[in-house]
Amino acid sequence: MRLKIVQNEQIAKDTFVLKVDNPGLFEVLPGQFFMVKINDYPFPLLRRPFSVAGFSDTIDFIYRVVGEGTRILTTKEKGEFIDILGPLGNGFSINSTKKLLLVGGGIGVAPLLYLKSVIESEYKIRCDAYFGFNSKDEIFTDDGNIATMDGSAGFKGNVVEMVEDKLNSDVLVYACGPTLMLRRLAFLCFEANCSMQVSLESRMACGIGVCLGCVVQTADNRYKKVCVDGPVFDFEEIQWQAL
Ligand SMILES: Cc1cc2nc3c(=O)[nH]c(=O)nc-3n(C[C@H](O)[C@H](O)[C@H](O)COP(=O)(O)OP(=O)(O)OC[C@H]3O[C@@H](n4cnc5c(N)ncnc54)[C@H](O)[C@@H]3O)c2cc1C
Ligand code: FES
């Protein structure tokens, strides 16, 4: 689907927001993603996956520049058209009987912003958000409690350290971020008997379950595809040692 770019601007260090016109043809669950075609030219050949960070009059993506595809994406301008495929994946399921805790690291905060807005505006329930960044210049939201590794803003240290004492059996954690952060959080959730839904990243070629490029090993030694079985999983399903 070709949609018009409404905004593509830098909002933090190496971080951009891309907003495209919402055609209003579908609903998007928090945690779902789109495969974005970077160019009208053959390069880069493969689409790139990006989670939805906001969904209203526009479909919003927040992306970090890491390689050639995301670098080219920064050059796209308001008024140009871009081809996106989706919504894809399963999304988070919202459970209103538990105390909800959002824990995000770096660009993994992006899908949690949309989740937070749906929990608060549609479900009218409170959730506490904890977002970690390396330093102040990487922060792209003020909608939550902030931790920075270098202490330049908010709590000094890892976001997992910030939430460690809040984990118990009454809590449901929604998490997205770097694998190391998620693994540490999963370990603490096992210890505290806490529930967690986690959005995983993997290299994706097709995004629709065909190429098998995105599989993760499950706790029962099977494999699941992040693109169609996820990207959101119950943390107990995942073989964390294999990630
Ligand atoms: C379901 C899902 C949702 C995502 N949502 C977002 C998002 O909201 N915002 C965002 O900035 N990024 C998101 N990503 C990661 C994003 O897709 C990659 O950063 C992007 O594809 C990199 O493209 P590139 O051409 O710039 O980098 P490449 O040149 O392809 O790669 C550069 C570097 O990035 C790493 N990389 C490439 N693709 C991925 C990937 N899929 N996951 C992890 N590392 C990768 C490579 O290992 C390499 O080191 C998501 C990934 C998945 C699977
Ligand atoms: S990305 Fe191709 S099967 Fe998941």
Side-chain angles (χ1 to χ4, degrees), residues 33 35 202-215 225-228:
F33 66 95
M35 294 296 283
S202 62
R203 300 299 302 261
M204 286 186 185
C206 73
I208 53 169
V210 177
C211 72
L212 302 184
C214 66
V215 292
K225 298 174 200 167
V226 173
C227 65
V228 288

Side-chain angles (χ1 to χ4, degrees), residues 60-205:
D60 308 342
F61 305 97
I62 296 175
Y63 65 94
R64 176 144 297 162
V65 181
V66 293
E68 200 51 20
T70 42
R71 195 196 58 72
I72 294 170
L73 198 55
T74 66
T75 66
K76 303 292 161 189
E77 292 186 355
K78 180 177 171 180
E80 285 183 51
F81 284 79
I82 195 152
D83 194 296
I84 66 169
L85 173 72
L88 301 169
N90 58 356
F92 294 101
S93 60
I94 296 169
N95 176 336
S96 54
T97 61
K98 295 234 177 192
K99 184 171 163 25
L100 306 183
L101 208 68
L102 272 48
V103 185
I107 202 66
V109 168
L112 300 181
L113 294 179
Y114 179 39
L115 175 66
K116 186 169 190 286
S117 75
V118 169
I119 289 173
E120 289 175 347
S121 63
E122 286 180 29
Y123 288 76
K124 313 266 183 241
I125 44 183
R126 204 187 109 112
C127 59
D128 292 327
Y130 295 87
F131 298 144
F133 298 90
N134 285 321
S135 55
K136 190 178 177 182
D137 54 358
E138 291 186 3
I139 299 171
F140 54 82
T141 178
D142 54 9
D143 196 7
N145 302 287
I146 298 292
T148 51
M149 293 302 289
D150 67 358
S152 50
F155 174 88
K156 183 176 187 324
N158 191 306
V159 68
V160 178
E161 292 163 17
M162 202 182 182
V163 299
E164 199 167 347
D165 62 349
K166 296 170 179 47
L167 305 175
N168 59 60
S169 57
D170 293 332
V171 170
L172 167 59
V173 177
Y174 295 104
C176 187
T179 303
L180 270 180
M181 174 205 129
L182 296 180
R183 196 187 289 149
R184 174 82 189 128
L185 201 52
F187 177 68
L188 292 173
C189 284
F190 278 118
E191 269 191 342
N193 199 20
C194 178
S195 311
M196 175 160 74
Q197 291 178 29
V198 57
S199 177
L200 294 182
E201 274 197 15
S202 62
R203 300 299 302 261
M204 286 186 185

